Amino acid sequence: MGLFATLYHSSVGKKFVMGLTGLFLCSFLVVHLSGNFLLFKHDGGAAFDAYGMFMSTNLFIRTMEIVLFAGFILHLVTGTITWLTNRGARPEKYVRNDVSENSTWMSRTMFLTGSIVFIFLVVHLRTFWVASRFYAAENPSMYQLVRAAFSDPVYCAFYIVAIALLAFHLRHGFQSAFQTFGIKKQKYAPLIHLAGMVFWLLIPLGFISMPVYFLINP
Amino acid sequence: MNFTLKVWRQTSSAAQGKMVEYTASNISPDMSFLEMIDLVNLDLARNGHDTIAFDHDCREGICGTCGMYINGRAHGPARGVATCQLYMRSFKESEPITIEPWRAKAFPVIKDLVVDRSGLDRIIQAGGYVTVDTGGVPDGNVIPIPKVVADEAFDAAACIGCGACVAACKNSSAMLFLSAKVSQLALLPQGKPEREARVLGMVAQMDAEGFGGCSNTLACEAECPKEISVTHIARLNREFLAASVK
């Protein structure tokens, strides 16, 4: 706890916390997406429902769920503190500031993209997690819950936009974490670039394929 | 060449500033940006007006004294140069030139385009030095340093402390400045004894001065007149983590 307090006290240490929690949340995306691919099995949702049942009853998964929530909270609380401090570091703005000449818009809008992803997350948890965990009697099948949600084009559009913003968030965030950890050797750059592509391109595309699938096959 | 200038005028740190329009006439395309302001100031002085205050010293890109936000960029549109090495041929007559001081909570405006950058000095005082024993002059090349290491330390040492990294960073972070000094001294044997105290002290001082934190937008690297690389920030992060764990 002493080390955490020391790190959290400084701007550089807070970045480590952002990077660590960020990569941890990335690992969750892999697990979440691989499980969700069971939606594509043509068995009327039997496999997906069995998977859903396992995920909500297994002790290890339930414990990791708490760790995951803690990771999310730490990431967004630290992110908000950092954003507020950084904003306060320039009370008077420039009359003209050509920021696009020196940085990407994705790197400058991490708080915005992150906030929208957070709103998405709340809605997403309400639709699936709360419904299946706390109202299990009314929602016996997770598969039917997914199908019902993705039958609404507005919900699908919101889902796709939010995942796209997550993609932009990860495009900057993933490689940025390695810079924060001090891994900036030229020889690792292609590896980080490739792994980054998995997280900001392939995984978001995987998630987007789900509402698209249900829109095409209702 | 003739230009329209929009310059930030502020009589003192306590006063409210505003943008004021000026005309710069008969400017040679080969004049530096500072020489152009000299001419405008000459005109202002002849007509009994208060001249535009700006920092400058060597005027050859090595002292780091000059620095202004020109057309929304630190040190203007050219890459790898300080304001004094920026020439009027880089500008179009049709476009008004916006000139502002560095903007950061840690860089309060003193007058017009002059800001107080002593926060950077205090960061250096917090650890950006090496302690040496007094005595006889040591022989040259007694301490072997590989050329690649010496070159990297030298690249970091090229920082002139102008503050463009702070000015360009959306967080007004001084991380590139700080990392250049931490990196230079961490690479060399002379910097090893105070290695951990240095990085911890300098980061703490940066935070205390009111500079923001790094969010890896890389704007600093793009605007640095000495083209200091953000790999030095990565080294600073490693140094900081290693020192914190100990």
Side-chain angles (χ1 to χ4, degrees), chain A residues 3 6-7 9-13 15-16 82-83 85-99 101-104 107-110 172 175-186, chain B residues 8 19 69 71-73 95-96 98 100-105 166-172 175 203 206-207 210-219 222-223 230-231 233-234 237-238 240-241 244-245:
Chain A
L3 175 65
T6 316
L7 284 180
H9 190 66
S10 88
S11 60
V12 180
K15 287 298 293 177
F16 284 125
T82 306
W83 178 73
T85 316
N86 289 346
R87 249 171 66 99
R90 178 163 296 144
E92 189 143 13
K93 306 283 173 242
Y94 289 108
V95 172
R96 178 173 171 186
N97 199 2
D98 290 8
V99 284
E101 296 288 337
N102 58 35
S103 52
T104 64
S107 71
R108 296 190 304 267
T109 52
M110 290 299 276
H172 174 71
Q175 53 82 30
S176 175
F178 291 93
Q179 161 79 4
T180 299
F181 301 146
I183 303 166
K184 187 74 182 176
K185 283 257 161 61
Q186 211 50 49
Chain B
W8 182 262
M19 298 299 281
Y69 220 66
N71 280 350
R73 308 277 304 275
E95 195 188 352
T98 312
E100 298 172 77
W102 289 166
R103 292 285 185 206
K105 189 169 92 182
V166 177
C169 174
K170 79 176 183 62
N171 309 328
S172 301
M175 280 285 273
V203 169
M206 178 183 81
D207 291 346
F211 292 101
C214 179
S215 55
N216 301 331
T217 68
L218 315 189
E223 302 291 11
V230 292
T231 50
I233 297 185
N237 290 338
R238 286 201 296 279
F240 183 84
L241 190 60
S244 303
V245 171

Side-chain angles (χ1 to χ4, degrees), chain B residues 119-129 177-178 181 202 205:
Chain B
L120 296 184
D121 299 333
R122 287 187 292 273
I123 291 177
I124 293 292
Q125 284 162 12
Y129 51 80
F177 166 79
L178 201 139
K181 192 50 69 183
M202 289 179 83
Q205 190 62 36

Side-chain angles (χ1 to χ4, degrees), chain A residues 2 15 23 39 43 51 54 68 70 73 76 83 93 95-96 98 103 119 123 128 157 160 163 189 195 198:
Chain A
K15 287 298 293 177
L23 290 185
L39 283 170
D43 61 355
Y51 159 73
F54 169 76
L68 181 65
I73 290 164
L76 66 94
W83 178 73
K93 306 283 173 242
V95 172
R96 178 173 171 186
D98 290 8
S103 52
I119 295 168
V123 175
F128 300 116
I160 292 168
I163 295 291
V198 171

